[in-house]
Amino acid sequence: MATPLGDLLRKERTKRKWTLRDVEERTGIHNAHLSQIESGQITRPAPNILFTLAALYDLRYDQLMQLAG
């Protein structure tokens, strides 16, 4: 079941027309891990991953941390 965090990250990725592999190439975060975050299988990603994704998608880090709980 998707989470608000996963939904936001998927929306930002698809808005840019990027695949999970595109994000993996830009961040070094494995595409399987990204998929698990987007799908809600991982609900509390590590802070460093959220920081990296916030920078990539030009989002506020504190917003991602709040969504992750």
Short mmCIF file of all heavy atoms in Angstrom, two decimals:
data_model
loop_
_atom_site.label_atom_id
_atom_site.label_comp_id
_atom_site.label_asym_id
_atom_site.label_seq_id
_atom_site.Cartn_x
_atom_site.Cartn_y
_atom_site.Cartn_z
N MET A 1 0.84 -1.19 0.00
CA MET A 1 0.00 0.00 0.00
C MET A 1 0.88 1.24 0.00
O MET A 1 1.77 1.39 0.83
CB MET A 1 -0.90 -0.02 1.23
CG MET A 1 -1.87 1.11 1.29
SD MET A 1 -3.11 0.77 2.54
CE MET A 1 -2.91 2.20 3.55
N ALA A 2 0.66 2.10 -0.94
CA ALA A 2 1.46 3.31 -1.05
C ALA A 2 1.23 4.23 0.16
O ALA A 2 0.21 4.18 0.82
CB ALA A 2 1.12 4.05 -2.34
N THR A 3 2.23 5.03 0.41
CA THR A 3 2.20 5.99 1.52
C THR A 3 2.25 7.40 0.93
O THR A 3 2.61 7.57 -0.24
CB THR A 3 3.41 5.78 2.44
OG1 THR A 3 4.61 6.03 1.68
CG2 THR A 3 3.44 4.38 3.02
N PRO A 4 1.92 8.42 1.72
CA PRO A 4 2.06 9.80 1.21
C PRO A 4 3.49 10.09 0.73
O PRO A 4 3.67 10.75 -0.29
CB PRO A 4 1.67 10.66 2.41
CG PRO A 4 0.73 9.80 3.19
CD PRO A 4 1.27 8.39 3.04
N LEU A 5 4.48 9.56 1.44
CA LEU A 5 5.87 9.76 1.02
C LEU A 5 6.12 9.09 -0.33
O LEU A 5 6.66 9.70 -1.25
CB LEU A 5 6.84 9.21 2.08
CG LEU A 5 8.32 9.22 1.69
CD1 LEU A 5 8.82 10.64 1.50
CD2 LEU A 5 9.14 8.49 2.73
N GLY A 6 5.72 7.85 -0.44
CA GLY A 6 5.92 7.12 -1.69
C GLY A 6 5.18 7.76 -2.85
O GLY A 6 5.72 7.85 -3.97
N ASP A 7 3.95 8.21 -2.60
CA ASP A 7 3.18 8.87 -3.64
C ASP A 7 3.87 10.15 -4.12
O ASP A 7 3.92 10.42 -5.32
CB ASP A 7 1.78 9.21 -3.14
CG ASP A 7 0.88 7.99 -2.99
OD1 ASP A 7 1.20 6.93 -3.58
OD2 ASP A 7 -0.12 8.09 -2.26
N LEU A 8 4.38 10.94 -3.18
CA LEU A 8 5.06 12.18 -3.54
C LEU A 8 6.31 11.89 -4.36
O LEU A 8 6.54 12.53 -5.39
CB LEU A 8 5.43 12.97 -2.28
CG LEU A 8 6.27 14.22 -2.50
CD1 LEU A 8 5.50 15.24 -3.35
CD2 LEU A 8 6.69 14.83 -1.18
N LEU A 9 7.10 10.93 -3.92
CA LEU A 9 8.34 10.62 -4.65
C LEU A 9 8.04 10.08 -6.05
O LEU A 9 8.71 10.45 -7.01
CB LEU A 9 9.19 9.64 -3.85
CG LEU A 9 9.73 10.19 -2.53
CD1 LEU A 9 10.43 9.09 -1.75
CD2 LEU A 9 10.66 11.37 -2.76
N ARG A 10 7.03 9.24 -6.17
CA ARG A 10 6.66 8.72 -7.49
C ARG A 10 6.17 9.86 -8.39
O ARG A 10 6.54 9.93 -9.57
CB ARG A 10 5.58 7.65 -7.37
CG ARG A 10 5.17 7.10 -8.75
CD ARG A 10 4.10 6.04 -8.70
NE ARG A 10 4.66 4.81 -8.18
CZ ARG A 10 4.30 4.24 -7.03
NH1 ARG A 10 3.35 4.78 -6.29
NH2 ARG A 10 4.85 3.12 -6.63
N LYS A 11 5.37 10.75 -7.83
CA LYS A 11 4.85 11.89 -8.61
C LYS A 11 6.00 12.76 -9.12
O LYS A 11 6.02 13.14 -10.29
CB LYS A 11 3.89 12.72 -7.76
CG LYS A 11 3.28 13.90 -8.49
CD LYS A 11 2.43 14.74 -7.58
CE LYS A 11 3.34 15.79 -6.99
NZ LYS A 11 2.77 16.83 -6.21
N GLU A 12 6.96 13.04 -8.25
CA GLU A 12 8.09 13.88 -8.66
C GLU A 12 8.94 13.19 -9.72
O GLU A 12 9.42 13.83 -10.66
CB GLU A 12 8.95 14.23 -7.44
CG GLU A 12 8.27 15.18 -6.48
CD GLU A 12 7.96 16.54 -7.09
OE1 GLU A 12 8.76 17.06 -7.88
OE2 GLU A 12 6.88 17.08 -6.78
N ARG A 13 9.10 11.87 -9.59
CA ARG A 13 9.90 11.13 -10.58
C ARG A 13 9.19 11.10 -11.92
O ARG A 13 9.79 11.39 -12.96
CB ARG A 13 10.16 9.71 -10.07
CG ARG A 13 10.93 8.85 -11.06
CD ARG A 13 11.23 7.48 -10.51
NE ARG A 13 10.06 6.72 -10.12
CZ ARG A 13 9.26 6.07 -10.99
NH1 ARG A 13 9.49 6.10 -12.28
NH2 ARG A 13 8.22 5.38 -10.54
N THR A 14 7.90 10.79 -11.91
CA THR A 14 7.18 10.68 -13.19
C THR A 14 6.98 12.04 -13.84
O THR A 14 6.93 12.13 -15.07
CB THR A 14 5.84 9.95 -13.00
OG1 THR A 14 5.04 10.62 -12.04
CG2 THR A 14 6.05 8.51 -12.58
N LYS A 15 6.88 13.09 -13.03
CA LYS A 15 6.77 14.44 -13.57
C LYS A 15 7.98 14.77 -14.44
O LYS A 15 7.86 15.47 -15.45
CB LYS A 15 6.64 15.43 -12.41
CG LYS A 15 6.51 16.88 -12.82
CD LYS A 15 6.10 17.76 -11.65
CE LYS A 15 7.26 18.01 -10.71
NZ LYS A 15 6.92 18.99 -9.64
N ARG A 16 9.12 14.22 -14.06
CA ARG A 16 10.36 14.45 -14.82
C ARG A 16 10.57 13.42 -15.93
O ARG A 16 11.57 13.44 -16.62
CB ARG A 16 11.54 14.42 -13.85
CG ARG A 16 11.55 15.62 -12.92
CD ARG A 16 12.46 15.40 -11.72
NE ARG A 16 12.58 16.59 -10.91
CZ ARG A 16 11.66 17.03 -10.05
NH1 ARG A 16 10.53 16.36 -9.90
NH2 ARG A 16 11.84 18.11 -9.34
N LYS A 17 9.62 12.47 -16.01
CA LYS A 17 9.70 11.39 -17.00
C LYS A 17 10.96 10.54 -16.79
O LYS A 17 11.58 10.08 -17.76
CB LYS A 17 9.63 11.94 -18.43
CG LYS A 17 8.32 12.63 -18.74
CD LYS A 17 8.29 13.08 -20.18
CE LYS A 17 7.03 13.63 -20.68
NZ LYS A 17 6.12 14.37 -20.00
N TRP A 18 11.32 10.32 -15.53
CA TRP A 18 12.45 9.48 -15.18
C TRP A 18 11.97 8.10 -14.78
O TRP A 18 10.92 7.95 -14.16
CB TRP A 18 13.22 10.07 -13.99
CG TRP A 18 13.95 11.34 -14.30
CD1 TRP A 18 14.25 11.86 -15.52
CD2 TRP A 18 14.50 12.24 -13.34
NE1 TRP A 18 14.93 13.05 -15.38
CE2 TRP A 18 15.11 13.30 -14.04
CE3 TRP A 18 14.53 12.27 -11.95
CZ2 TRP A 18 15.74 14.35 -13.41
CZ3 TRP A 18 15.16 13.32 -11.32
CH2 TRP A 18 15.77 14.35 -12.04
N THR A 19 12.76 7.11 -15.11
CA THR A 19 12.51 5.75 -14.62
C THR A 19 13.23 5.59 -13.28
O THR A 19 14.04 6.45 -12.88
CB THR A 19 13.07 4.71 -15.60
OG1 THR A 19 14.50 4.84 -15.65
CG2 THR A 19 12.47 4.88 -17.00
N LEU A 20 12.94 4.47 -12.62
CA LEU A 20 13.66 4.18 -11.38
C LEU A 20 15.16 4.05 -11.65
O LEU A 20 15.99 4.46 -10.85
CB LEU A 20 13.11 2.91 -10.74
CG LEU A 20 11.72 3.05 -10.12
CD1 LEU A 20 11.15 1.68 -9.78
CD2 LEU A 20 11.74 3.94 -8.90
N ARG A 21 15.50 3.51 -12.81
CA ARG A 21 16.92 3.38 -13.16
C ARG A 21 17.57 4.75 -13.39
O ARG A 21 18.74 4.95 -13.07
CB ARG A 21 17.09 2.50 -14.38
CG ARG A 21 16.75 1.06 -14.08
CD ARG A 21 17.60 0.10 -14.87
NE ARG A 21 17.17 -1.26 -14.63
CZ ARG A 21 17.76 -2.08 -13.78
NH1 ARG A 21 18.79 -1.69 -13.08
NH2 ARG A 21 17.32 -3.31 -13.63
N ASP A 22 16.82 5.69 -13.93
CA ASP A 22 17.33 7.05 -14.09
C ASP A 22 17.69 7.65 -12.73
O ASP A 22 18.74 8.27 -12.57
CB ASP A 22 16.32 7.97 -14.78
CG ASP A 22 16.06 7.61 -16.23
OD1 ASP A 22 16.97 7.05 -16.89
OD2 ASP A 22 14.93 7.88 -16.71
N VAL A 23 16.79 7.47 -11.76
CA VAL A 23 17.04 7.99 -10.42
C VAL A 23 18.23 7.27 -9.79
O VAL A 23 19.08 7.89 -9.14
CB VAL A 23 15.78 7.88 -9.53
CG1 VAL A 23 16.06 8.34 -8.12
CG2 VAL A 23 14.64 8.68 -10.14
N GLU A 24 18.33 5.97 -10.01
CA GLU A 24 19.47 5.21 -9.50
C GLU A 24 20.79 5.77 -10.05
O GLU A 24 21.75 5.95 -9.30
CB GLU A 24 19.33 3.73 -9.88
CG GLU A 24 20.50 2.88 -9.44
CD GLU A 24 20.37 1.43 -9.85
OE1 GLU A 24 19.70 1.14 -10.86
OE2 GLU A 24 20.95 0.58 -9.16
N GLU A 25 20.82 6.07 -11.33
CA GLU A 25 22.03 6.61 -11.95
C GLU A 25 22.40 7.97 -11.37
O GLU A 25 23.57 8.29 -11.21
CB GLU A 25 21.86 6.73 -13.46
CG GLU A 25 21.84 5.39 -14.17
CD GLU A 25 21.51 5.52 -15.65
OE1 GLU A 25 21.47 6.67 -16.17
OE2 GLU A 25 21.30 4.47 -16.28
N ARG A 26 21.40 8.77 -11.02
CA ARG A 26 21.64 10.12 -10.51
C ARG A 26 22.00 10.13 -9.02
O ARG A 26 22.63 11.06 -8.55
CB ARG A 26 20.41 11.00 -10.75
CG ARG A 26 20.20 11.37 -12.19
CD ARG A 26 18.83 12.03 -12.40
NE ARG A 26 18.70 12.69 -13.68
CZ ARG A 26 18.41 12.09 -14.81
NH1 ARG A 26 18.22 10.79 -14.85
NH2 ARG A 26 18.31 12.77 -15.93
N THR A 27 21.54 9.11 -8.29
CA THR A 27 21.71 9.14 -6.83
C THR A 27 22.58 8.02 -6.26
O THR A 27 23.09 8.14 -5.15
CB THR A 27 20.35 9.04 -6.12
OG1 THR A 27 19.75 7.77 -6.43
CG2 THR A 27 19.43 10.18 -6.53
N GLY A 28 22.69 6.92 -6.98
CA GLY A 28 23.38 5.75 -6.45
C GLY A 28 22.51 4.89 -5.55
O GLY A 28 22.97 3.88 -5.01
N ILE A 29 21.24 5.26 -5.41
CA ILE A 29 20.29 4.46 -4.61
C ILE A 29 19.72 3.40 -5.55
O ILE A 29 19.19 3.72 -6.61
CB ILE A 29 19.16 5.33 -4.04
CG1 ILE A 29 19.73 6.47 -3.19
CG2 ILE A 29 18.18 4.48 -3.24
CD1 ILE A 29 18.72 7.55 -2.84
N HIS A 30 19.82 2.14 -5.15
CA HIS A 30 19.36 1.04 -6.00
C HIS A 30 17.89 1.20 -6.37
O HIS A 30 17.06 1.57 -5.54
CB HIS A 30 19.58 -0.30 -5.31
CG HIS A 30 21.02 -0.64 -5.14
ND1 HIS A 30 21.81 -1.06 -6.18
CD2 HIS A 30 21.80 -0.60 -4.05
CE1 HIS A 30 23.05 -1.26 -5.74
NE2 HIS A 30 23.06 -0.99 -4.44
N ASN A 31 17.58 0.88 -7.63
CA ASN A 31 16.21 1.07 -8.11
C ASN A 31 15.22 0.20 -7.36
O ASN A 31 14.07 0.60 -7.16
CB ASN A 31 16.12 0.86 -9.62
CG ASN A 31 16.34 -0.57 -10.04
OD1 ASN A 31 15.47 -1.40 -9.87
ND2 ASN A 31 17.49 -0.86 -10.62
N ALA A 32 15.62 -0.97 -6.89
CA ALA A 32 14.72 -1.83 -6.12
C ALA A 32 14.35 -1.15 -4.79
O ALA A 32 13.20 -1.21 -4.35
CB ALA A 32 15.35 -3.18 -5.87
N HIS A 33 15.33 -0.50 -4.19
CA HIS A 33 15.09 0.21 -2.92
C HIS A 33 14.14 1.39 -3.16
O HIS A 33 13.20 1.61 -2.39
CB HIS A 33 16.42 0.69 -2.33
CG HIS A 33 16.34 1.12 -0.92
ND1 HIS A 33 16.23 0.23 0.13
CD2 HIS A 33 16.34 2.35 -0.36
CE1 HIS A 33 16.17 0.91 1.26
NE2 HIS A 33 16.23 2.20 1.00
N LEU A 34 14.37 2.11 -4.25
CA LEU A 34 13.49 3.23 -4.60
C LEU A 34 12.06 2.75 -4.83
O LEU A 34 11.10 3.37 -4.38
CB LEU A 34 14.01 3.94 -5.86
CG LEU A 34 15.35 4.66 -5.72
CD1 LEU A 34 15.93 4.97 -7.08
CD2 LEU A 34 15.19 5.92 -4.89
N SER A 35 11.94 1.62 -5.52
CA SER A 35 10.62 1.05 -5.78
C SER A 35 9.91 0.68 -4.49
O SER A 35 8.70 0.93 -4.34
CB SER A 35 10.76 -0.19 -6.67
OG SER A 35 9.52 -0.82 -6.85
N GLN A 36 10.64 0.12 -3.54
CA GLN A 36 10.05 -0.25 -2.26
C GLN A 36 9.60 0.97 -1.47
O GLN A 36 8.58 0.93 -0.78
CB GLN A 36 11.03 -1.08 -1.45
CG GLN A 36 11.26 -2.46 -2.02
CD GLN A 36 12.35 -3.21 -1.29
OE1 GLN A 36 13.25 -2.63 -0.69
NE2 GLN A 36 12.28 -4.54 -1.35
N ILE A 37 10.33 2.06 -1.58
CA ILE A 37 9.92 3.30 -0.91
C ILE A 37 8.64 3.83 -1.56
O ILE A 37 7.68 4.17 -0.89
CB ILE A 37 11.04 4.36 -0.96
CG1 ILE A 37 12.24 3.89 -0.14
CG2 ILE A 37 10.52 5.71 -0.44
CD1 ILE A 37 13.49 4.73 -0.34
N GLU A 38 8.63 3.88 -2.90
CA GLU A 38 7.46 4.40 -3.61
C GLU A 38 6.21 3.56 -3.38
O GLU A 38 5.11 4.09 -3.30
CB GLU A 38 7.75 4.50 -5.11
CG GLU A 38 8.70 5.62 -5.47
CD GLU A 38 8.85 5.79 -6.98
OE1 GLU A 38 8.17 5.07 -7.74
OE2 GLU A 38 9.67 6.64 -7.37
N SER A 39 6.39 2.24 -3.26
CA SER A 39 5.22 1.36 -3.09
C SER A 39 4.76 1.25 -1.64
O SER A 39 3.71 0.67 -1.37
CB SER A 39 5.54 -0.03 -3.63
OG SER A 39 6.51 -0.66 -2.81
N GLY A 40 5.55 1.78 -0.72
CA GLY A 40 5.17 1.73 0.69
C GLY A 40 5.68 0.53 1.44
O GLY A 40 5.37 0.35 2.61
N GLN A 41 6.48 -0.32 0.79
CA GLN A 41 7.07 -1.46 1.49
C GLN A 41 8.12 -0.99 2.50
O GLN A 41 8.31 -1.63 3.53
CB GLN A 41 7.69 -2.44 0.49
CG GLN A 41 6.66 -3.13 -0.37
CD GLN A 41 7.28 -3.98 -1.45
OE1 GLN A 41 8.42 -3.75 -1.85
NE2 GLN A 41 6.54 -4.94 -1.94
N ILE A 42 8.80 0.10 2.17
CA ILE A 42 9.71 0.75 3.11
C ILE A 42 9.04 2.07 3.49
O ILE A 42 8.87 2.94 2.64
CB ILE A 42 11.10 1.00 2.50
CG1 ILE A 42 11.78 -0.32 2.18
CG2 ILE A 42 11.96 1.84 3.43
CD1 ILE A 42 13.10 -0.18 1.46
N THR A 43 8.66 2.19 4.75
CA THR A 43 7.93 3.38 5.17
C THR A 43 8.82 4.42 5.84
O THR A 43 8.46 5.59 5.91
CB THR A 43 6.80 3.01 6.15
OG1 THR A 43 7.35 2.32 7.26
CG2 THR A 43 5.75 2.14 5.46
N ARG A 44 9.98 3.99 6.35
CA ARG A 44 10.88 4.93 7.02
C ARG A 44 12.29 4.80 6.45
O ARG A 44 13.17 4.22 7.07
CB ARG A 44 10.88 4.66 8.52
CG ARG A 44 9.47 4.86 9.11
CD ARG A 44 9.46 4.74 10.57
NE ARG A 44 9.91 6.03 11.10
CZ ARG A 44 10.10 6.26 12.38
NH1 ARG A 44 9.92 5.33 13.26
NH2 ARG A 44 10.49 7.45 12.77
N PRO A 45 12.52 5.36 5.27
CA PRO A 45 13.85 5.30 4.67
C PRO A 45 14.87 6.04 5.53
O PRO A 45 14.52 6.93 6.31
CB PRO A 45 13.70 5.99 3.32
CG PRO A 45 12.25 6.24 3.13
CD PRO A 45 11.58 6.10 4.45
N ALA A 46 16.12 5.68 5.37
CA ALA A 46 17.20 6.32 6.11
C ALA A 46 17.24 7.82 5.77
O ALA A 46 16.97 8.22 4.63
CB ALA A 46 18.53 5.67 5.76
N PRO A 47 17.60 8.64 6.76
CA PRO A 47 17.66 10.09 6.53
C PRO A 47 18.57 10.48 5.36
O PRO A 47 18.23 11.41 4.62
CB PRO A 47 18.19 10.64 7.86
CG PRO A 47 17.71 9.65 8.86
CD PRO A 47 17.81 8.31 8.17
N ASN A 48 19.68 9.79 5.18
CA ASN A 48 20.57 10.16 4.08
C ASN A 48 19.92 9.91 2.72
O ASN A 48 20.15 10.66 1.77
CB ASN A 48 21.92 9.44 4.18
CG ASN A 48 21.79 7.93 4.06
OD1 ASN A 48 20.92 7.31 4.68
ND2 ASN A 48 22.67 7.33 3.29
N ILE A 49 19.07 8.91 2.62
CA ILE A 49 18.36 8.65 1.37
C ILE A 49 17.34 9.75 1.12
O ILE A 49 17.22 10.27 0.00
CB ILE A 49 17.70 7.26 1.40
CG1 ILE A 49 18.80 6.20 1.29
CG2 ILE A 49 16.66 7.10 0.29
CD1 ILE A 49 18.32 4.78 1.39
N LEU A 50 16.63 10.13 2.16
CA LEU A 50 15.66 11.22 2.01
C LEU A 50 16.34 12.53 1.64
O LEU A 50 15.83 13.30 0.83
CB LEU A 50 14.84 11.39 3.30
CG LEU A 50 13.91 10.23 3.64
CD1 LEU A 50 13.21 10.49 4.96
CD2 LEU A 50 12.91 9.98 2.53
N PHE A 51 17.51 12.77 2.22
CA PHE A 51 18.26 13.99 1.91
C PHE A 51 18.65 14.00 0.43
O PHE A 51 18.50 15.01 -0.27
CB PHE A 51 19.51 14.08 2.80
CG PHE A 51 20.29 15.34 2.59
CD1 PHE A 51 19.93 16.50 3.25
CD2 PHE A 51 21.38 15.37 1.73
CE1 PHE A 51 20.63 17.68 3.05
CE2 PHE A 51 22.09 16.54 1.53
CZ PHE A 51 21.72 17.70 2.20
N THR A 52 19.14 12.86 -0.06
CA THR A 52 19.54 12.75 -1.46
C THR A 52 18.36 12.96 -2.39
O THR A 52 18.46 13.68 -3.39
CB THR A 52 20.19 11.37 -1.70
OG1 THR A 52 21.32 11.23 -0.85
CG2 THR A 52 20.61 11.20 -3.15
N LEU A 53 17.22 12.34 -2.06
CA LEU A 53 16.04 12.49 -2.91
C LEU A 53 15.48 13.91 -2.85
O LEU A 53 15.01 14.43 -3.86
CB LEU A 53 14.98 11.46 -2.50
CG LEU A 53 15.36 10.00 -2.78
CD1 LEU A 53 14.33 9.06 -2.19
CD2 LEU A 53 15.55 9.76 -4.27
N ALA A 54 15.53 14.53 -1.69
CA ALA A 54 15.08 15.91 -1.57
C ALA A 54 15.90 16.83 -2.48
O ALA A 54 15.35 17.69 -3.17
CB ALA A 54 15.16 16.38 -0.12
N ALA A 55 17.20 16.62 -2.49
CA ALA A 55 18.07 17.44 -3.34
C ALA A 55 17.79 17.18 -4.81
O ALA A 55 17.70 18.12 -5.61
CB ALA A 55 19.53 17.15 -3.01
N LEU A 56 17.62 15.93 -5.18
CA LEU A 56 17.38 15.58 -6.58
C LEU A 56 16.06 16.16 -7.09
O LEU A 56 16.00 16.71 -8.19
CB LEU A 56 17.37 14.05 -6.74
CG LEU A 56 17.08 13.53 -8.14
CD1 LEU A 56 18.23 13.89 -9.09
CD2 LEU A 56 16.84 12.04 -8.11
N TYR A 57 15.02 16.03 -6.30
CA TYR A 57 13.69 16.47 -6.72
C TYR A 57 13.38 17.91 -6.32
O TYR A 57 12.27 18.39 -6.55
CB TYR A 57 12.63 15.56 -6.11
CG TYR A 57 12.65 14.13 -6.62
CD1 TYR A 57 12.45 13.07 -5.75
CD2 TYR A 57 12.85 13.84 -7.96
CE1 TYR A 57 12.45 11.75 -6.19
CE2 TYR A 57 12.85 12.53 -8.43
CZ TYR A 57 12.65 11.50 -7.54
OH TYR A 57 12.65 10.20 -7.99
N ASP A 58 14.34 18.58 -5.70
CA ASP A 58 14.15 19.97 -5.26
C ASP A 58 12.95 20.08 -4.30
O ASP A 58 12.07 20.91 -4.48
CB ASP A 58 13.99 20.91 -6.45
CG ASP A 58 14.15 22.38 -6.07
OD1 ASP A 58 14.89 22.65 -5.09
OD2 ASP A 58 13.54 23.23 -6.71
N LEU A 59 12.95 19.18 -3.31
CA LEU A 59 11.92 19.17 -2.27
C LEU A 59 12.56 19.55 -0.94
O LEU A 59 13.78 19.52 -0.79
CB LEU A 59 11.31 17.76 -2.14
CG LEU A 59 10.60 17.22 -3.37
CD1 LEU A 59 10.25 15.75 -3.17
CD2 LEU A 59 9.34 18.04 -3.65
N ARG A 60 11.72 19.87 0.02
CA ARG A 60 12.23 20.20 1.35
C ARG A 60 12.51 18.92 2.12
O ARG A 60 11.63 18.06 2.24
CB ARG A 60 11.21 21.05 2.11
CG ARG A 60 11.10 22.45 1.54
CD ARG A 60 10.18 23.38 2.31
NE ARG A 60 9.98 23.00 3.70
CZ ARG A 60 8.78 22.96 4.29
NH1 ARG A 60 7.68 23.26 3.63
NH2 ARG A 60 8.69 22.62 5.55
N TYR A 61 13.72 18.81 2.62
CA TYR A 61 14.15 17.64 3.39
C TYR A 61 13.26 17.43 4.61
O TYR A 61 12.83 16.31 4.88
CB TYR A 61 15.61 17.80 3.80
CG TYR A 61 16.13 16.75 4.74
CD1 TYR A 61 16.26 15.42 4.34
CD2 TYR A 61 16.51 17.09 6.02
CE1 TYR A 61 16.74 14.47 5.21
CE2 TYR A 61 17.00 16.13 6.90
CZ TYR A 61 17.12 14.82 6.48
OH TYR A 61 17.60 13.86 7.34
N ASP A 62 12.93 18.53 5.32
CA ASP A 62 12.11 18.39 6.51
C ASP A 62 10.71 17.86 6.17
O ASP A 62 10.11 17.11 6.95
CB ASP A 62 12.03 19.69 7.31
CG ASP A 62 11.40 20.84 6.53
OD1 ASP A 62 11.62 20.96 5.32
OD2 ASP A 62 10.66 21.62 7.18
N GLN A 63 10.21 18.19 5.00
CA GLN A 63 8.90 17.68 4.58
C GLN A 63 8.98 16.16 4.38
O GLN A 63 8.09 15.42 4.82
CB GLN A 63 8.45 18.34 3.28
CG GLN A 63 7.15 17.79 2.75
CD GLN A 63 6.81 18.29 1.35
OE1 GLN A 63 7.68 18.75 0.63
NE2 GLN A 63 5.55 18.19 0.99
N LEU A 64 10.04 15.69 3.75
CA LEU A 64 10.20 14.26 3.53
C LEU A 64 10.37 13.52 4.86
O LEU A 64 9.81 12.44 5.05
CB LEU A 64 11.38 13.96 2.59
CG LEU A 64 11.26 14.48 1.16
CD1 LEU A 64 12.44 14.00 0.33
CD2 LEU A 64 9.95 14.07 0.52
N MET A 65 11.13 14.12 5.75
CA MET A 65 11.32 13.50 7.08
C MET A 65 9.98 13.40 7.81
O MET A 65 9.69 12.39 8.45
CB MET A 65 12.32 14.30 7.91
CG MET A 65 13.75 14.16 7.46
SD MET A 65 14.41 12.52 7.73
CE MET A 65 14.57 12.51 9.51
N GLN A 66 9.17 14.44 7.72
CA GLN A 66 7.87 14.43 8.38
C GLN A 66 6.97 13.35 7.77
O GLN A 66 6.31 12.62 8.50
CB GLN A 66 7.21 15.79 8.27
CG GLN A 66 5.90 15.89 9.01
CD GLN A 66 5.32 17.29 8.95
OE1 GLN A 66 5.67 18.09 8.08
NE2 GLN A 66 4.44 17.59 9.88
N LEU A 67 6.96 13.23 6.45
CA LEU A 67 6.15 12.20 5.80
C LEU A 67 6.61 10.79 6.17
O LEU A 67 5.80 9.87 6.23
CB LEU A 67 6.18 12.38 4.29
CG LEU A 67 5.42 13.59 3.74
CD1 LEU A 67 5.68 13.74 2.26
CD2 LEU A 67 3.93 13.45 4.02
N ALA A 68 7.91 10.65 6.44
CA ALA A 68 8.46 9.34 6.80
C ALA A 68 8.20 9.02 8.26
O ALA A 68 8.40 7.87 8.70
CB ALA A 68 9.95 9.28 6.51
N GLY A 69 7.76 10.01 9.03
CA GLY A 69 7.45 9.76 10.44
C GLY A 69 8.65 9.95 11.29
O GLY A 69 8.83 9.45 12.34
#
